[in-house]
Amino acid sequence: MRLKHIVAVAALAMVAVGGAQAKEWKKIRMGTEGAYPPFNYTTSAGELVGFDIEIGNALCEEMKVECEWVTQDWDGIIPGLIAGKYDTILASMSITPEREEKISFSEKYYNTPPAIAVRKDSDLKGVTPADLAGKKIGAQSSTTHSIYAEQTFTDSDIVLYPTSEEYKLDLESGRVDAVGDDVMVLQGWIDSDEGSCCKILGTLKSVDEIHGKGAGIGVRKGDEDLAAMFSDAIAAIRANGKYKEINDKYFAFDAYGE
């Protein structure tokens, strides 16, 4: 009798713990950088805009939950999620094995290739390690692009920046010879007045171990139910045409990728 009683109490305790862990997501705090155009950035009027933001809002609408956006510097964005400052990361974060050790992800919501940009007057002809040997290459720190540059362009001088805006200024002024980032980040900048100095030199072949499986929505370990909600919502807006409506405002091709 006593053993049965202990087992019954333990079972009830497990049910109670499971019930305490289950969450009903009515309001979701969405963490983003706010400094990575055209995906997420802040206008001069202080408005948070971009592809990530519109996709995030569409996903929340699809899930019938309230969204609240929180901006966070990129270097602290995963620690901020783990510390509970927000519930998700929706900031063009690639799903990589290293990051999956710390947090969980939804399925991808886009996947575009990395690229190298240079000044229009550059004499560089290609994007191989040999082509860029001895050159200064800029990249945003703690990104897949900086990791790729450091591991691939070993005969180049890799210069790291806290945001993409700083490396753009240094490329424009000639303080670096080339920069690496997502092709659409670079193309969006080059197509603007601010980026008229520069051009895309070429795209790079993604490396799964570094670039991951596309950009996903990050959640804390234990919140995989939230990641699944986002995955279902991504599939839904792909099917109902909302994704294409947003995509076509920013890109001339389907950013979702293969």
Side-chain angles (χ1 to χ4, degrees):
M1 286 293 294
R2 188 172 180 181
L3 179 58
K4 288 181 180 178
H5 177 70
I6 291 170
V7 170
V9 170
L12 286 170
M14 289 178 69
V15 170
V17 169
Q21 289 177 335
K23 297 177 183 177
E24 185 177 358
W25 297 97
K26 293 183 177 180
K27 181 176 180 178
I28 300 172
R29 296 166 300 160
M30 314 276 276
T32 197
E33 183 186 8
Y36 194 58
F39 292 101
N40 60 80
Y41 60 103
T42 306
T43 68
S44 57
E47 182 183 6
L48 194 59
V49 297
F51 178 76
D52 287 342
I53 309 307
E54 292 201 43
I55 289 292
N57 288 336
L59 294 174
C60 285
E61 183 177 350
E62 178 66 31
M63 296 186 296
K64 296 180 172 56
V65 297
E66 180 186 350
C67 273
E68 177 183 291
W69 289 95
V70 181
T71 56
Q72 168 67 52
D73 289 346
W74 180 258
D75 285 349
I77 205 162
I78 288 179
L81 174 68
I82 294 170
K85 291 179 66 176
Y86 29 84
D87 305 304
T88 71
I89 295 172
L90 207 167
S92 291
M93 178 170 281
S94 298
I95 306 164
T96 67
E98 181 181 3
R99 289 170 179 157
E100 286 182 301
E101 292 177 3
K102 300 176 183 177
I103 63 176
S104 296
F105 285 92
S106 71
E107 296 296 321
K108 71 170 185 178
Y109 64 96
Y110 82 83
N111 191 12
T112 51
I116 296 291
V118 297
R119 288 181 54 85
K120 286 180 178 176
D121 59 4
S122 172
D123 59 2
L124 289 169
K125 303 300 183 185
V127 296
T128 68
D131 291 323
L132 297 172
K135 304 298 182 181
K136 286 187 176 181
I137 304 174
Q140 184 175 357
S141 63
S142 302
T143 64
T144 56
H145 307 290
S146 66
I147 294 168
Y148 178 87
E150 290 178 316
Q151 293 187 11
T152 305
F153 301 118
T154 53
D155 291 326
S156 302
D157 181 11
I158 308 304
V159 185
L160 301 182
Y161 299 85
T163 74
S164 63
E165 298 308 307
E166 283 93 344
Y167 76 57
K168 292 171 184 175
L169 291 172
D170 272 10
L171 180 60
E172 182 180 6
S173 66
R175 286 189 286 269
V176 293
D177 302 296
V179 297
D181 209 325
D182 184 278
V183 66
M184 293 315 301
V185 171
L186 296 172
Q187 191 64 60
W189 170 58
I190 286 166
D191 289 343
S192 70
D193 292 340
E194 291 81 3
S196 60
C197 61
C198 301
K199 65 180 181 180
I200 300 290
L201 183 61
T203 57
L204 302 164
K205 183 175 175 57
S206 295
V207 177
D208 286 350
E209 293 77 11
I210 297 175
H211 297 106
K213 299 169 283 189
I217 299 162
V219 301
R220 284 182 291 275
K221 294 289 187 183
D223 284 346
E224 283 76 14
D225 61 326
L226 181 57
M229 285 173 58
F230 275 103
S231 294
D232 290 344
I234 291 165
I237 67 169
R238 287 284 296 170
N240 66 24
K242 186 64 178 180
Y243 185 100
K244 185 178 188 304
E245 177 187 327
I246 297 169
N247 181 96
D248 291 354
K249 291 172 62 176
Y250 293 90
F251 313 122
F253 63 94
D254 186 0
Y256 189 77
E258 298 179 358

